Amino acid sequence: MSLSRRRSALYARIPGGADGRRMLWIALINKAGTGLWMGAAALYFTLVTGLSVAEVGLLLGVSGAVGIAGAPLAGHLADRFPVTRIIIGAQLQQAMALLALLTTDNFALLLLYSAVNSLADRGANVLTKLYAARIAGPERTTYQAVQRTVSNAGWAIGGLAGALALAVGTTHAYQALLIGNVVSFLVAAALTLRCAEPPSPSRLVTDSTAAAPVAPPSNPWRDRSYLLFTMTEAALFLDDAVLQVGIPLWIVHATDAPHGLAPLLMVLNCVLVVCCQVPLSRFGSTPERARALLVPLAACFVVGCAALTASTLGGTGLAVAALTLAAVALTFAEILHAIASWELSIALAPDDAQGAYLGVHGLSSSAQRSGGPLLVTAVIAAGPLAWPVLGAGVIVTVAAQSRLVRKRLIRRSPATDRAVAPRAT
């Protein structure tokens, strides 16, 4: 079979049919646009709008905190309205908020527009995850892996294009990056408009002719075991903070490795995710198999932490080798957690409130984005021996989550093969 035919066959096997493939193009365009802007955002606020470093930090911190509410809000809406329409609303909200940044250099207005964008961004993450679960059905883990691979490729494309524009360094160059991100959201919204609404077991449908009253949906805020699961998830998302914040700072402040190693390790992370996310997804195709991934996940994280400690033992060669090992190990922890987290967050949610439950689960990654960098910088300040302590904390967290998930899966209904959450009383 020719290469073109093999590619066509692979493309046709993507779960979700035509709408599933269209959503992958949307993810690629969306993340490419985000990659354009995210690397330049802080510089734009400093060099173009004239904010001080302290003001930029406050703006990014507050807008990020506001964005935490986006996940549960989007999930709540997705149980009541067509998810494609809410996705389009979030895309247009981001486009308008970003475009508004071009109209002012007032700190209060920049903070407002950034917060509105952050709110929609965190909500859109939950909505796309929910759409994938509904359109791909039992192949949701494979589809999510493909979507994550495509998203990482989009980030890389946008980041490289953004780096070229940043080399110019003019006001118009920064504005062009922002406009490019706005255009990406508008194109994504136009493509989403062509996507069919998938079947939704959790969307409430009112039947005026129904004789029997409809029971209230499950409430994630009163589901103790799911809330505990979400809390453990926040700790397992720490690989993101270690990779993006911890390793670059550790290279500069604690090792003899050249500073230029930091961006190369980020490229390595992206390449590994693109190459390995889909092949490894088959190991998390069921809730039980996803739970089994928690053990190698913890092992990879511990190896990464041990390598970071070893990178300080002396010499440039040892530092580079240890840091490379740390980046590889933590990337595989990231890949395995993405697979397990995706499958378990869906499997443990009752069908009648999928959106609400995934919205609550989305708080875990949002909380990590806010608190993760603080924890990682505290570990760096404490010194090399603090990394193994962090690894031990992940082991404890994995053990707690594994036990919690096992108990919840035992309560799963054989008729529906899903976890049954306790009803609010």
Side-chain angles (χ1 to χ4, degrees):
M1 184 183 292
S2 67
L3 179 60
S4 61
R5 287 183 178 180
R6 287 199 298 269
R7 286 176 176 173
S8 298
L10 179 62
Y11 189 66
R13 290 199 300 270
I14 293 175
D19 287 324
R21 293 191 290 271
R22 187 174 291 115
M23 270 294 174
L24 294 180
W25 281 108
I26 291 169
L28 180 69
I29 294 169
N30 192 339
K31 295 305 181 183
T34 302
L36 280 175
W37 169 242
M38 290 306 295
L43 295 176
Y44 174 87
F45 290 126
T46 302
L47 302 176
V48 178
T49 65
L51 299 185
S52 67
V53 173
E55 286 176 324
V56 172
L58 180 61
L59 182 147
L60 296 177
V62 172
S63 61
V66 172
I68 292 176
L73 177 60
H76 176 79
L77 292 174
D79 283 335
R80 287 152 178 79
F81 304 101
V83 67
T84 51
R85 299 301 180 260
I86 307 174
I87 292 174
I88 292 171
Q91 291 163 338
L92 294 177
Q93 180 176 329
Q94 288 178 274
M96 293 172 61
L98 289 169
L99 194 60
L101 293 176
L102 293 171
T103 66
T104 184
D105 57 4
N106 179 271
F107 174 76
L109 290 177
L110 291 171
L111 176 59
L112 172 63
Y113 300 147
S114 297
V116 171
N117 173 60
S118 180
L119 190 72
D121 174 66
R122 302 311 302 163
N125 286 342
V126 170
L127 294 170
T128 53
K129 182 178 179 180
L130 183 61
Y131 186 91
R134 291 176 178 176
I135 199 171
E139 296 181 279
R140 63 195 181 205
T141 301
T142 300
Y143 183 84
Q144 176 69 5
V146 175
Q147 188 175 61
R148 190 165 188 268
T149 299
V150 170
S151 296
N152 272 270
W155 270 101
I157 293 170
L160 289 173
L164 294 175
L166 290 177
V168 177
T170 65
T171 296
H172 291 306
Y174 287 109
Q175 292 172 336
L177 293 177
L178 180 52
I179 292 173
N181 196 12
V182 170
V183 171
S184 74
F185 284 121
L186 295 176
V187 173
L191 290 175
T192 306
L193 192 61
R194 298 179 59 193
C195 293
E197 180 68 18
S200 170
S202 61
R203 190 164 144 220
L204 300 179
V205 180
T206 302
D207 186 354
S208 59
T209 63
V214 178
S218 301
N219 184 352
W221 298 105
R222 302 184 68 177
D223 187 342
R224 183 179 177 185
S225 66
Y226 198 88
L227 291 175
L228 290 173
F229 169 72
T230 298
M231 290 175 62
T232 59
E233 282 286 271
L236 298 187
F237 273 113
L238 275 174
D239 53 70
D240 182 65
V242 176
L243 282 164
Q244 296 191 24
V245 178
I247 288 182
L249 291 177
W250 192 248
I251 288 173
V252 172
H253 295 288
T255 75
D256 295 327
H259 296 180
L261 180 64
L264 294 179
L265 294 181
M266 295 302 101
V267 172
L268 176 61
N269 167 264
C270 185
V271 170
L272 288 175
V273 171
V274 170
C275 293
C276 301
Q277 188 73 64
V278 175
L280 292 177
S281 67
R282 67 181 185 274
F283 295 108
S285 56
T286 67
E288 290 78 9
R289 298 186 77 181
R291 174 175 170 264
L293 289 178
L294 295 175
V295 173
L297 183 165
C300 288
F301 199 99
V302 169
V303 169
C305 289
L308 287 171
T309 298
S311 68
T312 64
L313 297 180
T316 300
L318 175 61
V320 170
L323 288 164
T324 302
L325 174 61
V328 171
L330 289 166
T331 297
F332 276 100
E334 174 191 356
I335 292 171
L336 295 176
H337 180 239
I339 297 169
S341 176
W342 162 244
E343 175 61 25
L344 293 175
S345 63
I346 295 287
L348 302 184
D351 287 344
D352 65 350
Q354 272 188 350
Y357 272 69
L358 289 183
V360 168
H361 180 264
L363 292 174
S364 58
S365 60
S366 297
Q368 188 281 141
R369 284 192 176 190
S370 298
L374 296 176
L375 176 60
V376 168
T377 52
V379 169
I380 292 173
L385 294 181
W387 289 115
V389 174
L390 182 63
V394 168
I395 291 176
V396 172
T397 302
V398 161
Q401 184 178 111
S402 180
R403 185 168 180 268
L404 186 153
V405 169
R406 179 178 62 82
K407 287 184 175 181
R408 190 167 175 112
L409 291 178
I410 289 174
R411 300 205 317 270
R412 191 173 51 187
S413 168
T416 59
D417 194 39
R418 65 173 175 84
V420 178
R423 291 276 185 179
T425 57

